[in-house]
Amino acid sequence: MLIFLSIVLLLGLGAYIGYKRIKPMMGSKNLIKRDGAFWEDGELLYTCAPCADVFAAVNHADFSECRTEMRPSTDGKALIFSCSKDRWTAALQYYGLHNNEHKYEFQFLRWDTHNLGTSIYSMNILLTIVEKIFLSLDPDTEAEIHIVDTETETRFL
């Protein structure tokens, strides 16, 4: 019985600490309440902002709050984001001009399901930062959410 109470106490303490950490982010709009499994969706972004401006703004952004490292892809048409401890990877891909607008796609490429409970906060913060960058460059940026074809791998512990 004592072990059960200890586990419940530790879980409650962990939830309280997580709540105290996340609450200020919600108030400062660094974290947006999102419905469902947003990490399984891709976001197509249509804007008048050219690739050089978007990538420059992303390069100057502060990602310390979501513990993310960023690097350009080998072809220079994408930015790859990696979370510390290799918990998830995301990409912002540039597709060129389509109907006189620049087309981009942001999506999470990979995530560790064992740490998803804590990773969704940093994933949400990253997505929020990217969305704010697009809106700061072009307030008329249009976004289209689509479900990404995700491959999963079954692991047992």
Side-chain angles (χ1 to χ4, degrees):
M1 183 67 164
L2 183 60
I3 293 173
F4 176 74
L5 288 174
S6 298
I7 291 171
V8 169
L9 181 63
L10 285 174
L11 289 174
L13 182 62
Y16 177 74
I17 290 170
Y19 172 77
K20 291 298 262 182
R21 186 174 147 244
I22 298 303
K23 187 176 179 182
M25 290 184 224
M26 293 289 280
S28 67
K29 305 291 188 221
N30 291 337
L31 187 67
I32 295 173
K33 184 174 180 343
R34 299 182 190 275
D35 295 327
F38 68 89
W39 55 90
E40 294 178 357
D41 298 334
E43 189 167 345
L44 293 173
L45 299 149
Y46 300 93
T47 180
C48 68
C51 183
D53 293 351
V54 171
F55 283 13
V58 171
N59 279 317
H60 288 62
D62 178 15
F63 296 107
S64 60
E65 205 168 354
C66 55
R67 291 176 248 126
T68 302
E69 296 177 7
M70 182 198 51
R71 64 179 166 76
S73 64
T74 54
D75 64 1
K77 293 187 176 186
L79 298 174
I80 310 298
F81 303 90
S82 300
C83 181
S84 62
K85 299 180 184 176
D86 202 32
R87 291 187 175 189
W88 51 261
T89 305
L92 175 64
Q93 176 78 37
Y94 176 65
Y95 291 115
L97 277 172
H98 293 272
N99 298 324
N100 294 324
E101 289 185 308
H102 296 276
K103 180 180 177 182
Y104 302 84
E105 181 178 26
F106 179 87
Q107 68 177 357
F108 290 96
L109 305 173
R110 186 193 61 73
W111 53 88
D112 180 1
T113 56
H114 291 291
N115 294 306
L116 193 58
T118 56
S119 296
I120 57 173
Y121 298 112
S122 59
M123 295 165 88
N124 189 340
I125 292 169
L126 173 64
L127 180 54
T128 303
I129 291 169
V130 170
E131 290 170 341
K132 284 183 173 184
I133 288 170
F134 275 92
L135 291 173
S136 72
L137 294 172
D138 177 13
D140 295 326
T141 296
E142 294 179 12
E144 177 183 307
I145 306 296
H146 64 95
I147 297 173
V148 176
D149 185 21
T150 307
E151 292 183 26
T152 59
E153 176 182 318
T154 303
R155 290 191 307 175
F156 298 100
L157 302 174

